[in-house]
Amino acid sequence: MRDTAKHQGLRNQLANVLKDKGIIDEKVLNAIRNIPRHLFIDSSFESHAYQDKAFPIAAEQTISQPYTVAFQSQTLQVKPSDKVLEIGTGSGYQTAVLLELKAIVYSIERQHELFKNTSRFLRKLNYRPKKLIFGDGYKGLPDEAPFDKIIVTAGAPFVPKPLLSQLKVGGRLLIPVGETKQIMTLFIRKSIKEFEKHELGDFAFVPMLEEKN
Ligand code: SAH
């Protein structure tokens, strides 16, 4: 696993591309500058690792496009020591961004192969999420709730109720909602009963799948 000055240069360029596309949070841009994305993807794609593109990973899943990761991270407004729940660990790249933002991260993945490989890989890179869980993100993580922020990184056909209920008052749930394409949807919990909803444009995600039978 090599990270070189050339990779660093490409990451700086990628951060500039994201800036041009409207990412203004310097902490998020610094996370993009720090994380060796080329190590999160198959080596056959290495030369493209710092283009603003999604790539296939194992189990027919994808590593999200850097713009999408940056947009979600910026919109969540992660603060140091925020307790954050991620649904869809995948390659672990978004997890790494959350950790660079100094969040306390819990992340759930339903594909066992990805759960296993990404757990090992993040450890190797010295990224330390609080917990990686093999399980079904539709249920959230009731034992660890409530969370300051919840981020869903797969396209959800509907908004799972447990995720809303596991949010602190003042907390944010960011979830792409839709079947073929998704509308990035932000919920801010105003009180126990009230949620403010914002729709933030179209994105494309792999589907959030219901539990395997
Ligand atoms: N954050 C990831 C994105 C991976 S794509 C990254 O940066 O690489 C979405 C991930 O969500 C896939 O790994 C998929 O297996 C996972 N997923 C889909 N449905 C899920 C569910 N119900 N619970 C948990 N994870 C799920």
Side-chain angles (χ1 to χ4, degrees):
M1 297 214 296
R2 265 160 40 90
D3 189 28
T4 65
K6 181 165 165 234
H7 292 122
Q8 183 61 64
L10 292 170
R11 283 205 285 284
N12 294 344
Q13 283 174 25
L14 173 60
N16 290 338
V17 168
L18 299 181
K19 239 180 181 170
D20 289 342
K21 293 186 179 178
I23 304 300
I24 53 171
D25 186 330
E26 271 300 320
K27 294 194 191 74
V28 171
L29 292 168
N30 274 332
I32 302 285
R33 291 184 189 108
N34 284 342
I35 302 169
R37 187 173 190 252
H38 64 285
L39 301 180
F40 287 72
I41 63 179
D42 193 274
S43 56
S44 56
F45 298 109
E46 186 181 330
S47 58
H48 305 288
Y50 295 106
Q51 294 176 11
D52 188 19
K53 282 185 188 159
F55 291 105
I57 54 175
E60 293 170 17
Q61 303 304 321
T62 57
I63 176 171
S64 300
Q65 185 182 339
Y67 174 74
T68 303
V69 173
F71 181 85
Q72 285 197 285
S73 302
Q74 170 170 285
T75 306
L76 268 187
Q77 299 185 357
V78 178
K79 292 195 290 293
S81 74
D82 267 359
K83 205 168 153 184
V84 180
L85 174 64
E86 176 188 30
I87 311 298
T89 316
S91 68
Y93 183 73
Q94 173 73 70
T95 317
V97 172
L98 295 169
L99 290 167
E100 290 273 348
L101 297 172
K102 301 189 168 38
I104 297 164
V105 183
Y106 300 76
S107 185
I108 308 179
E109 172 58 53
R110 75 181 278 287
Q111 299 281 356
H112 195 257
E113 182 188 357
L114 282 171
F115 162 74
K116 231 178 35 195
N117 293 346
T118 300
S119 303
R120 194 178 326 121
F121 173 71
L122 286 175
R123 243 191 330 270
K124 207 151 64 179
L125 258 60
N126 234 350
Y127 283 113
R128 307 262 174 218
K130 181 88 176 174
K131 262 190 199 167
L132 296 178
I133 300 104
F134 170 55
D136 178 16
Y138 278 91
K139 301 192 179 84
L141 205 57
D143 290 351
E144 304 286 353
F147 296 94
D148 295 291
K149 313 280 157 70
I150 301 178
I151 174 173
V152 179
T153 71
F158 58 90
V159 181
K161 287 253 163 59
L163 299 186
L164 285 169
S165 70
Q166 290 172 25
L167 212 52
K168 283 186 196 170
V169 171
R172 296 175 159 234
L173 164 65
L174 186 59
I175 177 168
V177 187
E179 306 264 1
T180 46
K181 64 176 185 185
Q182 289 82 32
I183 300 174
M184 190 64 78
T185 310
L186 172 67
F187 292 90
I188 305 175
R189 189 165 204 172
K190 291 299 191 182
S191 68
I192 290 292
K193 288 199 177 137
E194 282 168 288
F195 293 86
E196 198 177 274
K197 179 180 169 183
H198 302 265
E199 294 190 339
L200 305 173
D202 289 350
F203 286 80
F205 282 84
V206 295
M208 183 172 174
L209 299 171
E210 308 221 34
E211 209 167 6
K212 284 189 233 180
N213 302 305

mmCIF file of all heavy atoms in Angstrom, residues 157-197:
data_model
loop_
_atom_site.group_PDB
_atom_site.id
_atom_site.type_symbol
_atom_site.label_atom_id
_atom_site.label_comp_id
_atom_site.label_asym_id
_atom_site.label_seq_id
_atom_site.Cartn_x
_atom_site.Cartn_y
_atom_site.Cartn_z
ATOM 1 N N PRO A 157 -35.788 3.438 -0.523
ATOM 2 C CA PRO A 157 -37.100 3.586 -1.143
ATOM 3 C C PRO A 157 -38.059 4.414 -0.284
ATOM 4 O O PRO A 157 -39.001 4.994 -0.805
ATOM 5 C CB PRO A 157 -37.598 2.133 -1.285
ATOM 6 C CG PRO A 157 -36.738 1.309 -0.389
ATOM 7 C CD PRO A 157 -35.442 2.037 -0.230
ATOM 8 N N PHE A 158 -37.803 4.458 1.015
ATOM 9 C CA PHE A 158 -38.611 5.270 1.942
ATOM 10 C C PHE A 158 -37.725 5.621 3.135
ATOM 11 O O PHE A 158 -36.623 5.079 3.264
ATOM 12 C CB PHE A 158 -39.864 4.497 2.397
ATOM 13 C CG PHE A 158 -39.537 3.191 3.081
ATOM 14 C CD1 PHE A 158 -39.335 3.137 4.453
ATOM 15 C CD2 PHE A 158 -39.410 2.004 2.336
ATOM 16 C CE1 PHE A 158 -39.006 1.937 5.083
ATOM 17 C CE2 PHE A 158 -39.077 0.803 2.965
ATOM 18 C CZ PHE A 158 -38.884 0.773 4.343
ATOM 19 N N VAL A 159 -38.203 6.518 3.975
ATOM 20 C CA VAL A 159 -37.405 6.917 5.135
ATOM 21 C C VAL A 159 -37.722 5.973 6.303
ATOM 22 O O VAL A 159 -38.846 5.963 6.806
ATOM 23 C CB VAL A 159 -37.722 8.374 5.547
ATOM 24 C CG1 VAL A 159 -36.869 8.793 6.737
ATOM 25 C CG2 VAL A 159 -37.505 9.313 4.367
ATOM 26 N N PRO A 160 -36.740 5.169 6.727
ATOM 27 C CA PRO A 160 -37.020 4.229 7.823
ATOM 28 C C PRO A 160 -37.323 4.990 9.128
ATOM 29 O O PRO A 160 -36.536 5.823 9.555
ATOM 30 C CB PRO A 160 -35.722 3.424 7.950
ATOM 31 C CG PRO A 160 -34.994 3.629 6.652
ATOM 32 C CD PRO A 160 -35.369 5.007 6.189
ATOM 33 N N LYS A 161 -38.444 4.671 9.733
ATOM 34 C CA LYS A 161 -38.882 5.338 10.977
ATOM 35 C C LYS A 161 -37.844 5.250 12.089
ATOM 36 O O LYS A 161 -37.609 6.227 12.798
ATOM 37 C CB LYS A 161 -40.197 4.712 11.479
ATOM 38 C CG LYS A 161 -41.399 5.093 10.656
ATOM 39 C CD LYS A 161 -42.291 6.080 11.428
ATOM 40 C CE LYS A 161 -43.258 6.794 10.490
ATOM 41 N NZ LYS A 161 -44.140 5.870 9.751
ATOM 42 N N PRO A 162 -37.194 4.067 12.272
ATOM 43 C CA PRO A 162 -36.224 3.972 13.379
ATOM 44 C C PRO A 162 -35.103 5.005 13.264
ATOM 45 O O PRO A 162 -34.601 5.486 14.281
ATOM 46 C CB PRO A 162 -35.657 2.551 13.244
ATOM 47 C CG PRO A 162 -36.702 1.790 12.500
ATOM 48 C CD PRO A 162 -37.364 2.771 11.577
ATOM 49 N N LEU A 163 -34.733 5.366 12.043
ATOM 50 C CA LEU A 163 -33.638 6.331 11.895
ATOM 51 C C LEU A 163 -34.077 7.699 12.401
ATOM 52 O O LEU A 163 -33.320 8.395 13.081
ATOM 53 C CB LEU A 163 -33.182 6.405 10.435
ATOM 54 C CG LEU A 163 -32.630 5.084 9.857
ATOM 55 C CD1 LEU A 163 -32.071 5.316 8.459
ATOM 56 C CD2 LEU A 163 -31.557 4.475 10.762
ATOM 57 N N LEU A 164 -35.303 8.097 12.099
ATOM 58 C CA LEU A 164 -35.811 9.381 12.611
ATOM 59 C C LEU A 164 -35.881 9.353 14.134
ATOM 60 O O LEU A 164 -35.487 10.306 14.806
ATOM 61 C CB LEU A 164 -37.196 9.667 12.025
ATOM 62 C CG LEU A 164 -37.216 10.116 10.553
ATOM 63 C CD1 LEU A 164 -38.637 10.109 10.011
ATOM 64 C CD2 LEU A 164 -36.583 11.494 10.376
ATOM 65 N N SER A 165 -36.325 8.213 14.665
ATOM 66 C CA SER A 165 -36.525 8.185 16.119
ATOM 67 C C SER A 165 -35.205 8.067 16.883
ATOM 68 O O SER A 165 -35.159 8.356 18.076
ATOM 69 C CB SER A 165 -37.491 7.071 16.515
ATOM 70 O OG SER A 165 -36.857 5.836 16.315
ATOM 71 N N GLN A 166 -34.125 7.679 16.199
ATOM 72 C CA GLN A 166 -32.821 7.550 16.870
ATOM 73 C C GLN A 166 -31.982 8.828 16.798
ATOM 74 O O GLN A 166 -30.797 8.836 17.125
ATOM 75 C CB GLN A 166 -32.054 6.359 16.287
ATOM 76 C CG GLN A 166 -32.696 5.030 16.703
ATOM 77 C CD GLN A 166 -32.095 3.834 16.007
ATOM 78 O OE1 GLN A 166 -30.941 3.854 15.574
ATOM 79 N NE2 GLN A 166 -32.871 2.763 15.888
ATOM 80 N N LEU A 167 -32.622 9.915 16.362
ATOM 81 C CA LEU A 167 -31.931 11.199 16.226
ATOM 82 C C LEU A 167 -32.141 12.030 17.492
ATOM 83 O O LEU A 167 -33.248 12.087 18.027
ATOM 84 C CB LEU A 167 -32.574 11.905 15.032
ATOM 85 C CG LEU A 167 -31.767 12.825 14.148
ATOM 86 C CD1 LEU A 167 -30.494 12.155 13.653
ATOM 87 C CD2 LEU A 167 -32.639 13.267 12.971
ATOM 88 N N LYS A 168 -31.078 12.706 17.947
ATOM 89 C CA LYS A 168 -31.235 13.663 19.059
ATOM 90 C C LYS A 168 -32.063 14.853 18.593
ATOM 91 O O LYS A 168 -32.050 15.174 17.399
ATOM 92 C CB LYS A 168 -29.863 14.205 19.487
ATOM 93 C CG LYS A 168 -29.051 13.260 20.314
ATOM 94 C CD LYS A 168 -27.772 13.935 20.811
ATOM 95 C CE LYS A 168 -26.817 12.865 21.302
ATOM 96 N NZ LYS A 168 -25.479 13.389 21.590
ATOM 97 N N VAL A 169 -32.700 15.541 19.516
ATOM 98 C CA VAL A 169 -33.315 16.823 19.162
ATOM 99 C C VAL A 169 -32.181 17.771 18.751
ATOM 100 O O VAL A 169 -31.154 17.846 19.422
ATOM 101 C CB VAL A 169 -34.129 17.399 20.342
ATOM 102 C CG1 VAL A 169 -34.578 18.825 20.034
ATOM 103 C CG2 VAL A 169 -35.330 16.504 20.628
ATOM 104 N N GLY A 170 -32.350 18.425 17.602
ATOM 105 C CA GLY A 170 -31.277 19.248 17.030
ATOM 106 C C GLY A 170 -30.414 18.467 16.048
ATOM 107 O O GLY A 170 -29.595 19.052 15.342
ATOM 108 N N GLY A 171 -30.609 17.150 15.995
ATOM 109 C CA GLY A 171 -29.786 16.302 15.135
ATOM 110 C C GLY A 171 -30.242 16.301 13.685
ATOM 111 O O GLY A 171 -31.319 16.794 13.358
ATOM 112 N N ARG A 172 -29.397 15.731 12.819
ATOM 113 C CA ARG A 172 -29.662 15.724 11.385
ATOM 114 C C ARG A 172 -29.594 14.313 10.813
ATOM 115 O O ARG A 172 -28.635 13.575 11.088
ATOM 116 C CB ARG A 172 -28.600 16.551 10.645
ATOM 117 C CG ARG A 172 -28.628 17.992 11.024
ATOM 118 C CD ARG A 172 -27.509 18.789 10.376
ATOM 119 N NE ARG A 172 -27.933 20.187 10.402
ATOM 120 C CZ ARG A 172 -27.997 20.984 9.360
ATOM 121 N NH1 ARG A 172 -27.568 20.594 8.187
ATOM 122 N NH2 ARG A 172 -28.451 22.214 9.475
ATOM 123 N N LEU A 173 -30.593 13.971 10.005
ATOM 124 C CA LEU A 173 -30.568 12.731 9.215
ATOM 125 C C LEU A 173 -30.485 13.122 7.751
ATOM 126 O O LEU A 173 -31.309 13.888 7.257
ATOM 127 C CB LEU A 173 -31.857 11.927 9.454
ATOM 128 C CG LEU A 173 -32.164 10.810 8.432
ATOM 129 C CD1 LEU A 173 -31.121 9.697 8.469
ATOM 130 C CD2 LEU A 173 -33.559 10.211 8.671
ATOM 131 N N LEU A 174 -29.459 12.603 7.061
ATOM 132 C CA LEU A 174 -29.304 12.900 5.636
ATOM 133 C C LEU A 174 -29.441 11.598 4.864
ATOM 134 O O LEU A 174 -28.650 10.665 5.064
ATOM 135 C CB LEU A 174 -27.938 13.543 5.392
ATOM 136 C CG LEU A 174 -27.684 14.049 3.977
ATOM 137 C CD1 LEU A 174 -28.712 15.097 3.560
ATOM 138 C CD2 LEU A 174 -26.280 14.644 3.881
ATOM 139 N N ILE A 175 -30.438 11.542 3.985
ATOM 140 C CA ILE A 175 -30.776 10.275 3.349
ATOM 141 C C ILE A 175 -31.243 10.502 1.920
ATOM 142 O O ILE A 175 -32.113 11.329 1.666
ATOM 143 C CB ILE A 175 -31.858 9.538 4.197
ATOM 144 C CG1 ILE A 175 -32.303 8.234 3.543
ATOM 145 C CG2 ILE A 175 -33.083 10.423 4.488
ATOM 146 C CD1 ILE A 175 -33.143 7.336 4.454
ATOM 147 N N PRO A 176 -30.618 9.782 0.960
ATOM 148 C CA PRO A 176 -31.091 9.861 -0.420
ATOM 149 C C PRO A 176 -32.331 8.984 -0.584
ATOM 150 O O PRO A 176 -32.261 7.783 -0.338
ATOM 151 C CB PRO A 176 -29.920 9.311 -1.244
ATOM 152 C CG PRO A 176 -29.026 8.599 -0.292
ATOM 153 C CD PRO A 176 -29.445 8.896 1.111
ATOM 154 N N VAL A 177 -33.451 9.587 -0.983
ATOM 155 C CA VAL A 177 -34.716 8.862 -1.025
ATOM 156 C C VAL A 177 -35.209 8.710 -2.458
ATOM 157 O O VAL A 177 -35.303 9.702 -3.191
ATOM 158 C CB VAL A 177 -35.803 9.573 -0.190
ATOM 159 C CG1 VAL A 177 -37.062 8.711 -0.118
ATOM 160 C CG2 VAL A 177 -35.304 9.869 1.215
ATOM 161 N N GLY A 178 -35.506 7.461 -2.842
ATOM 162 C CA GLY A 178 -36.067 7.222 -4.171
ATOM 163 C C GLY A 178 -35.626 5.884 -4.716
ATOM 164 O O GLY A 178 -34.663 5.300 -4.225
ATOM 165 N N GLU A 179 -36.335 5.404 -5.732
ATOM 166 C CA GLU A 179 -36.063 4.065 -6.277
ATOM 167 C C GLU A 179 -35.024 4.109 -7.402
ATOM 168 O O GLU A 179 -33.975 3.489 -7.298
ATOM 169 C CB GLU A 179 -37.351 3.427 -6.801
ATOM 170 C CG GLU A 179 -38.483 3.389 -5.777
ATOM 171 C CD GLU A 179 -38.577 2.062 -5.044
ATOM 172 O OE1 GLU A 179 -37.759 1.164 -5.295
ATOM 173 O OE2 GLU A 179 -39.499 1.926 -4.204
ATOM 174 N N THR A 180 -35.298 4.830 -8.494
ATOM 175 C CA THR A 180 -34.351 4.818 -9.615
ATOM 176 C C THR A 180 -33.314 5.927 -9.505
ATOM 177 O O THR A 180 -32.134 5.707 -9.696
ATOM 178 C CB THR A 180 -35.074 4.911 -10.968
ATOM 179 O OG1 THR A 180 -36.072 5.936 -10.889
ATOM 180 C CG2 THR A 180 -35.738 3.591 -11.306
ATOM 181 N N LYS A 181 -33.764 7.142 -9.198
ATOM 182 C CA LYS A 181 -32.810 8.156 -8.748
ATOM 183 C C LYS A 181 -33.291 8.631 -7.396
ATOM 184 O O LYS A 181 -34.399 8.301 -6.977
ATOM 185 C CB LYS A 181 -32.701 9.294 -9.754
ATOM 186 C CG LYS A 181 -33.982 10.053 -9.916
ATOM 187 C CD LYS A 181 -33.825 11.228 -10.849
ATOM 188 C CE LYS A 181 -35.152 11.986 -10.842
ATOM 189 N NZ LYS A 181 -35.199 13.084 -11.766
ATOM 190 N N GLN A 182 -32.424 9.374 -6.700
ATOM 191 C CA GLN A 182 -32.755 9.722 -5.328
ATOM 192 C C GLN A 182 -32.724 11.230 -5.122
ATOM 193 O O GLN A 182 -31.904 11.920 -5.727
ATOM 194 C CB GLN A 182 -31.775 9.052 -4.355
ATOM 195 C CG GLN A 182 -31.949 7.547 -4.231
ATOM 196 C CD GLN A 182 -31.261 6.782 -5.355
ATOM 197 O OE1 GLN A 182 -30.240 7.210 -5.851
ATOM 198 N NE2 GLN A 182 -31.822 5.657 -5.763
ATOM 199 N N ILE A 183 -33.595 11.695 -4.269
ATOM 200 C CA ILE A 183 -33.545 13.086 -3.835
ATOM 201 C C ILE A 183 -32.850 13.112 -2.482
ATOM 202 O O ILE A 183 -33.283 12.451 -1.527
ATOM 203 C CB ILE A 183 -34.962 13.693 -3.688
ATOM 204 C CG1 ILE A 183 -35.685 13.632 -5.039
ATOM 205 C CG2 ILE A 183 -34.888 15.128 -3.172
ATOM 206 C CD1 ILE A 183 -37.133 14.084 -4.967
ATOM 207 N N MET A 184 -31.744 13.872 -2.413
ATOM 208 C CA MET A 184 -31.032 13.989 -1.136
ATOM 209 C C MET A 184 -31.943 14.742 -0.175
ATOM 210 O O MET A 184 -32.343 15.873 -0.452
ATOM 211 C CB MET A 184 -29.728 14.757 -1.356
ATOM 212 C CG MET A 184 -28.810 14.716 -0.170
ATOM 213 S SD MET A 184 -28.235 13.057 0.193
ATOM 214 C CE MET A 184 -26.972 12.878 -1.071
ATOM 215 N N THR A 185 -32.269 14.089 0.933
ATOM 216 C CA THR A 185 -33.254 14.671 1.834
ATOM 217 C C THR A 185 -32.664 14.818 3.233
ATOM 218 O O THR A 185 -32.073 13.876 3.772
ATOM 219 C CB THR A 185 -34.522 13.772 1.885
ATOM 220 O OG1 THR A 185 -34.926 13.490 0.536
ATOM 221 C CG2 THR A 185 -35.658 14.471 2.611
ATOM 222 N N LEU A 186 -32.786 16.037 3.768
ATOM 223 C CA LEU A 186 -32.253 16.334 5.102
ATOM 224 C C LEU A 186 -33.410 16.537 6.076
ATOM 225 O O LEU A 186 -34.327 17.318 5.795
ATOM 226 C CB LEU A 186 -31.416 17.619 5.027
ATOM 227 C CG LEU A 186 -30.936 18.205 6.361
ATOM 228 C CD1 LEU A 186 -29.931 17.285 7.047
ATOM 229 C CD2 LEU A 186 -30.314 19.592 6.148
ATOM 230 N N PHE A 187 -33.369 15.813 7.175
ATOM 231 C CA PHE A 187 -34.344 16.011 8.253
ATOM 232 C C PHE A 187 -33.598 16.603 9.445
ATOM 233 O O PHE A 187 -32.568 16.067 9.859
ATOM 234 C CB PHE A 187 -34.976 14.687 8.675
ATOM 235 C CG PHE A 187 -35.873 14.082 7.631
ATOM 236 C CD1 PHE A 187 -35.357 13.205 6.676
ATOM 237 C CD2 PHE A 187 -37.226 14.404 7.581
ATOM 238 C CE1 PHE A 187 -36.178 12.653 5.692
ATOM 239 C CE2 PHE A 187 -38.057 13.852 6.604
ATOM 240 C CZ PHE A 187 -37.535 12.977 5.658
ATOM 241 N N ILE A 188 -34.126 17.697 9.983
ATOM 242 C CA ILE A 188 -33.570 18.267 11.219
ATOM 243 C C ILE A 188 -34.624 18.092 12.304
ATOM 244 O O ILE A 188 -35.777 18.495 12.117
ATOM 245 C CB ILE A 188 -33.207 19.759 11.044
ATOM 246 C CG1 ILE A 188 -32.253 19.937 9.858
ATOM 247 C CG2 ILE A 188 -32.585 20.316 12.330
ATOM 248 C CD1 ILE A 188 -31.939 21.397 9.520
ATOM 249 N N ARG A 189 -34.236 17.453 13.386
ATOM 250 C CA ARG A 189 -35.207 17.203 14.460
ATOM 251 C C ARG A 189 -35.356 18.458 15.312
ATOM 252 O O ARG A 189 -34.431 18.861 16.010
ATOM 253 C CB ARG A 189 -34.766 16.020 15.324
ATOM 254 C CG ARG A 189 -35.859 15.609 16.299
ATOM 255 C CD ARG A 189 -35.615 14.253 16.909
ATOM 256 N NE ARG A 189 -36.875 13.665 17.356
ATOM 257 C CZ ARG A 189 -37.014 12.433 17.781
ATOM 258 N NH1 ARG A 189 -35.975 11.625 17.827
ATOM 259 N NH2 ARG A 189 -38.188 11.980 18.158
ATOM 260 N N LYS A 190 -36.525 19.055 15.264
ATOM 261 C CA LYS A 190 -36.770 20.313 15.963
ATOM 262 C C LYS A 190 -37.232 20.083 17.402
ATOM 263 O O LYS A 190 -37.008 20.916 18.277
ATOM 264 C CB LYS A 190 -37.832 21.124 15.215
ATOM 265 C CG LYS A 190 -37.325 21.646 13.892
ATOM 266 C CD LYS A 190 -36.144 22.568 14.187
ATOM 267 C CE LYS A 190 -35.716 23.359 12.979
ATOM 268 N NZ LYS A 190 -34.551 24.192 13.290
ATOM 269 N N SER A 191 -37.921 18.979 17.614
ATOM 270 C CA SER A 191 -38.388 18.616 18.956
ATOM 271 C C SER A 191 -38.670 17.120 18.903
ATOM 272 O O SER A 191 -38.441 16.478 17.878
ATOM 273 C CB SER A 191 -39.666 19.387 19.299
ATOM 274 O OG SER A 191 -40.721 18.932 18.465
ATOM 275 N N ILE A 192 -39.165 16.567 19.986
ATOM 276 C CA ILE A 192 -39.466 15.141 19.975
ATOM 277 C C ILE A 192 -40.372 14.791 18.794
ATOM 278 O O ILE A 192 -40.169 13.780 18.114
ATOM 279 C CB ILE A 192 -40.117 14.734 21.332
ATOM 280 C CG1 ILE A 192 -39.067 14.794 22.432
ATOM 281 C CG2 ILE A 192 -40.716 13.326 21.269
ATOM 282 C CD1 ILE A 192 -37.963 13.745 22.328
ATOM 283 N N LYS A 193 -41.336 15.654 18.531
ATOM 284 C CA LYS A 193 -42.332 15.327 17.512
ATOM 285 C C LYS A 193 -42.118 15.969 16.150
ATOM 286 O O LYS A 193 -42.707 15.531 15.165
ATOM 287 C CB LYS A 193 -43.713 15.743 18.020
ATOM 288 C CG LYS A 193 -44.225 14.835 19.127
ATOM 289 C CD LYS A 193 -45.713 14.973 19.265
ATOM 290 C CE LYS A 193 -46.251 14.029 20.322
ATOM 291 N NZ LYS A 193 -47.238 14.674 21.174
ATOM 292 N N GLU A 194 -41.326 17.067 16.105
ATOM 293 C CA GLU A 194 -41.258 17.833 14.848
ATOM 294 C C GLU A 194 -39.941 17.638 14.110
ATOM 295 O O GLU A 194 -38.861 17.744 14.705
ATOM 296 C CB GLU A 194 -41.338 19.329 15.153
ATOM 297 C CG GLU A 194 -42.686 19.883 15.459
ATOM 298 C CD GLU A 194 -42.482 21.283 16.010
ATOM 299 O OE1 GLU A 194 -42.001 21.384 17.162
ATOM 300 O OE2 GLU A 194 -42.761 22.242 15.284
ATOM 301 N N PHE A 195 -40.064 17.430 12.795
ATOM 302 C CA PHE A 195 -38.887 17.343 11.927
ATOM 303 C C PHE A 195 -39.037 18.366 10.805
ATOM 304 O O PHE A 195 -40.102 18.470 10.201
ATOM 305 C CB PHE A 195 -38.779 15.945 11.311
ATOM 306 C CG PHE A 195 -38.475 14.873 12.316
ATOM 307 C CD1 PHE A 195 -39.505 14.265 13.023
ATOM 308 C CD2 PHE A 195 -37.173 14.498 12.572
ATOM 309 C CE1 PHE A 195 -39.233 13.284 13.968
ATOM 310 C CE2 PHE A 195 -36.894 13.514 13.512
ATOM 311 C CZ PHE A 195 -37.927 12.902 14.210
ATOM 312 N N GLU A 196 -37.948 19.082 10.536
ATOM 313 C CA GLU A 196 -37.952 19.975 9.393
ATOM 314 C C GLU A 196 -37.344 19.195 8.232
ATOM 315 O O GLU A 196 -36.341 18.510 8.412
ATOM 316 C CB GLU A 196 -37.048 21.156 9.755
ATOM 317 C CG GLU A 196 -37.182 22.396 8.953
ATOM 318 C CD GLU A 196 -36.244 23.448 9.540
ATOM 319 O OE1 GLU A 196 -36.652 24.157 10.485
ATOM 320 O OE2 GLU A 196 -35.088 23.522 9.085
ATOM 321 N N LYS A 197 -37.962 19.304 7.049
ATOM 322 C CA LYS A 197 -37.485 18.513 5.910
ATOM 323 C C LYS A 197 -36.990 19.436 4.791
ATOM 324 O O LYS A 197 -37.674 20.394 4.436
ATOM 325 C CB LYS A 197 -38.648 17.654 5.414
ATOM 326 C CG LYS A 197 -38.332 16.799 4.214
ATOM 327 C CD LYS A 197 -39.557 15.991 3.806
ATOM 328 C CE LYS A 197 -39.345 15.335 2.465
ATOM 329 N NZ LYS A 197 -40.543 14.608 2.016
#
